[in-house]
Amino acid sequence: MEENKHTLLHYLMLLPGVGFILMFIGSSIFLTLAQSFGLFSITGRSAFTLSNWAAIIQARESVDSLMFSLKMGILSSIGTVLFAFPLALFFRKGGAGKGMLGSIIKVPLFIPALVAAFLIVNLISYHGLVNSVLLRLNIIQQPMRMLNDRFGWGVVFIQIWKNLPFVLLILMASIASIRDDTIDAAKNLGAGYWSILFRIFVPLAMPGILVSMILMFIKAFGDFPIFSVAGPIYPAAISVRMHIMATLYQEWDQAAVLGVIIIVTTFFVIWAYSRFAELVQGEE
Amino acid sequence: MRVRAEQQKTPLHVLQERRRRRFYLMLTLFFVIVQLIWVGIPILMAVMWSLVDPKNPWSFPNMFPPSFSFAQWEYVFKYTNIARALRTSYSIAPLAVLLSFVLSLPTDYIMGRKKIPGKKIFMLVVLLPIIMPGMVVALFLSRVFANFGLSQSFFGLVLAHTLMGMPYMIRVLTTSFQSIPQDVIDAAENLGATTFVKIKDIFLPMIRPGLLAGMIFAFIVSIEEFNLTFIIGTPTFETIPTILFSFMGYNFIRTNASVVALIMMTPNIIMLFVVERFLKSDYLAASLGKM
Amino acid sequence: MKKLCAVVLVLMLAAGMVFAAGAREEAAPTIDLQTATWEEIVETAQAQGQVTFYSWYFPDYFREAAADFERQYGIKVNLVIGDQTANFNKVISEKDRPVGTVDAMIVGGQWVKTTMDLDLFYGPIKDIIPDADQLAPSLWIVQEGVLTHGYLAPFHRNQTGILYDPQRVSNPPQTFAELEAWIDANPKLFGFNDPSRGGSGQSFVHTVIKHTTGGLEKYVGDTEVVPEKVANWDLAWEWFNDRKDKLTFTVSNNDSIIRINDGEMAMTFGWDDNVQDMMNRGNIFTRAQMYIPEMGAAGGGDTMGILKNAPNKAAAAVFIAHITSKEQQIKKFEMLGAYPSRIDIPIEGTLLTEEDRENNALAWFPAPYKDYMIAEFVRNVLMTQ
């Protein structure tokens, strides 16, 4: 009885947060889902059909787009965390000049994604700074064509540039709660650097690592501006494909299908990341 | 090495400590230089693009603009509502940050400290505002706001920005609550701490780094939000991104876009430096794991 | 228990605020534009007192035009210069509301089909606007292959053509064979944008289809794609695939122009109004030149429409009349060098010559072919790399 009362109270306490979000998001998600089956269509027609799903699943463009966005999302989220984690460890202890450094590092946080994309594209363009410097140093004879590369390295680079401080902030917050006595105890037991890193820091910081990977994935997977400036000519990212589907081909319902796919895929990757985090933590 | 250390009568661990400190200082210096290049050069490019003289374009093979002028800045201030947009943006953002903190706090606490059925689902649900594709936000979420009568209203914009910032706030603060060691709370309870004391002396100090991160994220989300703001805000309200997108979207004009981007970034960066200075002592204390 | 009460109280307060915040503005005076005289429309417009107009370019011109309008009619203009996609998302999001927030807006080629399909605009307005017959007659009927039935008033005309750097291209190609030879001799220096992301790339593919599959005449008047007529389009895709490593693909109209400025490319397909605007603001060198080659390039124009659920339709009509007036069209031309929609204005000193426009400008094939062309280009050229 006591237990139940508590749970009820706990659910009520979720209302201002989760309830607030559901109040606004619920019907939007429902409408997207309904539209993907041809109901409440934006064009005014409304009849249940599976043809939109069939059309999207059969088109190689959509599959390519999904795989490409997935690749970019996973690479960006892992890449940013790999860069940010050592930095977060470095910032764990204070030291001369670190305050200044911490502030400079955070600057890209305040640069909108679209602007970040165009600034970096500026650097790697045909006669951009990178090519000019390499030419002058005689490292290359001909400027390299790096814009809109087929693999998507440009996108990954911009994502890391823009979001390094974002992930750093989360990781610093989660590392902050690791106490020195834990580490001292490990040291006294003869643990080396690597074993302290992998047996203490990584597992204890795992909630933070997980959240950064999840939030970074959402950002990179669903991103529109960076893909549209720096992404490859083909395939289009799934968000771009969704936009093209609706505005160019007027296939609003098929765009809704892509929207549902974006949401479901994101959930799936979050689940996979969470499982991975549980495994890592479970080892301890 | 050891021989010399003994000769100088300096204990080994002090020497090691000194060497370690020097190493860290060099490392810091190295990072500062790398960061200045990493962050500085792209921003310098933006500054140069914003100063391009319309009569004397910056094109290949010039490494730098052949002449500088403030014409692009004048253009933006003369032909856009940038001043009004700045005021609107910076009035909404603090309110949205505050509201998302207050609204999310109970959720953060429950998700971080309590075991309740369906928690994993809730953790996914709170991410929905940022998972939803921009087009769904623009076409459907905006209708929800309009149906609630929140279109063309300042309060509606604050709520919209709160909604988009809350996923970050909730996920980051939940993690902070999660990582408070249970023994600390138990100890406090054994000493007879009331709920109020627990919040004031344990929860708040321990979630502070997370809170700072969450607030910065919510702030940025609010400053950058475009899709929803444009549809439920304009024509009554314009924010900085609504102006930025007129130079960055379909009709991409690098020079003016740089101007607006710099106008958008500068107050944020100044604020960041001030806030960090202001919070420094507490921040470091927290990161040293002292309570 | 106390906590619970507090939570419930806060929630109720929040919910109350949510519903209390939406107070609707009272309806503006209206008039049936189709039957009223122009004087009556102006009178009603003045009673309405304001008009909300959305565009995504020319902030300089529109701001001055709005100031002139306020001086002349005493009607306030709420001008929003947004982004093309965002503008249309906004009106689509509001399309089912009885009264929206937008009165009139610019309509670009990429969005004509969507807006006509969704039935967003009020009309026809051709018989309402006083100088309608002085505006480009073809643009009243069809915009980028879509029939607009007099719903959309021409704002300006634009035209694609070849943009090049005269320092690097001494003898710019005129015929299709010359272009092929030039591309062979100068690999990667000619480029165009992915047709799913901008009209100038579409125009180039359109021209290639014209030359590789036997002209454009056979498509005239079709309302949907006739399979036999597109059966030989694989010739066009072959043309692209044969020289894929000699062509540069860009991601937008403006990206092509930027890459000319950056020196990566020396020649591209571009929109004249785009190039002119970027030149005015120092985004491309002024030595750049443009022409419409003999092989032909498609052109079009941007239009203005009044939203079906516009709160101030009369004021919107008066504003459109103001923008299309001779005085304003001349002002726009002088400020920006963009080609006016009026046919009674003498034109000198634009990027493209009048002879080029007369002899080499093409009309788009019907819109269904264009959609088909883009989808097939992606499938047959971009996908197979």
Side-chain angles (χ1 to χ4, degrees), chain A residues 26-37:
Chain A
S27 51
S28 313
I29 299 286
F30 172 75
L31 269 179
T32 315
L33 196 63
Q35 266 204 17
S36 73
F37 292 107

Side-chain angles (χ1 to χ4, degrees), chain A residues 222-242:
Chain A
D223 161 81
F224 188 89
I226 296 178
F227 278 133
S228 57
V229 174
I233 304 293
Y234 182 89
I238 190 160
S239 53
V240 177
R241 181 83 195 147
M242 179 180 175

Side-chain angles (χ1 to χ4, degrees), chain A residues 4-15:
Chain A
N4 282 346
K5 222 173 92 189
H6 264 284
T7 317
L8 182 67
L9 175 71
H10 292 162
Y11 282 126
L12 281 174
M13 282 175 77
L14 292 181
L15 277 179

Side-chain angles (χ1 to χ4, degrees), chain C residues 38-104:
Chain C
W38 183 246
E39 284 70 32
E40 286 167 346
I41 293 176
V42 174
E43 226 166 77
T44 314
Q46 278 161 337
Q48 288 170 340
Q50 60 168 335
V51 59
T52 304
F53 186 82
Y54 276 61
S55 164
W56 65 88
Y57 52 62
F58 298 162
D60 39 4
Y61 165 70
F62 278 115
R63 203 148 292 266
E64 304 225 338
D68 292 346
F69 186 68
E70 286 175 31
R71 261 196 303 278
Q72 196 174 336
Y73 293 95
I75 301 170
K76 189 179 173 305
V77 184
N78 304 313
L79 179 67
V80 177
I81 309 292
D83 170 52
Q84 190 183 27
T85 306
N87 288 1
F88 287 100
N89 278 346
K90 178 166 169 73
V91 292
I92 291 170
S93 155
E94 289 178 353
K95 88 183 171 80
D96 295 327
R97 292 169 69 185
V99 181
T101 56
V102 184
D103 290 313

